[in-house]
Amino acid sequence: MKVTFNGEVKECPEGMTIEGLLDLYKIDKNRVAVELNLQIIPKKELPTQILKDDDILEVVTFVGGG
């Protein structure tokens, strides 16, 4: 299955969740905002939101500083 992840087409297994994809790429789920097909996904739905072929994800990581 192919999904677009931050502008790049990636292969991932059928039935993968957003949380699974974030884990695969070692992205901290607590420091991101996720948009799936132009809709913001609440953090509580990351473990249950199953990706489908041709989904488009944008993940923004929050960085602290000052």
Side-chain angles (χ1 to χ4, degrees), residues 20-43:
L21 188 69
L22 296 174
D23 288 344
L24 181 67
Y25 290 103
K26 298 179 179 19
I27 298 171
D28 184 354
K29 297 172 286 293
N30 297 314
R31 300 183 57 109
V32 297
V34 178
E35 181 183 273
L36 175 63
N37 301 324
L38 303 177
Q39 291 196 324
I40 300 293
I41 304 299
K43 287 191 188 311

Side-chain angles (χ1 to χ4, degrees):
M1 167 174 84
K2 293 181 183 179
V3 297
T4 302
F5 181 74
N6 286 353
E8 294 184 34
V9 176
K10 304 279 188 183
E11 285 284 336
C12 66
E14 293 285 333
M16 178 163 275
T17 63
I18 294 174
E19 183 176 75
L21 188 69
L22 296 174
D23 288 344
L24 181 67
Y25 290 103
K26 298 179 179 19
I27 298 171
D28 184 354
K29 297 172 286 293
N30 297 314
R31 300 183 57 109
V32 297
V34 178
E35 181 183 273
L36 175 63
N37 301 324
L38 303 177
Q39 291 196 324
I40 300 293
I41 304 299
K43 287 191 188 311
K44 67 181 180 180
E45 293 180 22
L46 298 180
T48 58
Q49 181 68 50
I50 296 174
L51 297 170
K52 298 182 296 287
D53 200 31
D54 296 323
D55 274 347
I56 299 172
L57 283 122
E58 291 293 328
V59 177
V60 177
T61 304
F62 300 111
V63 178

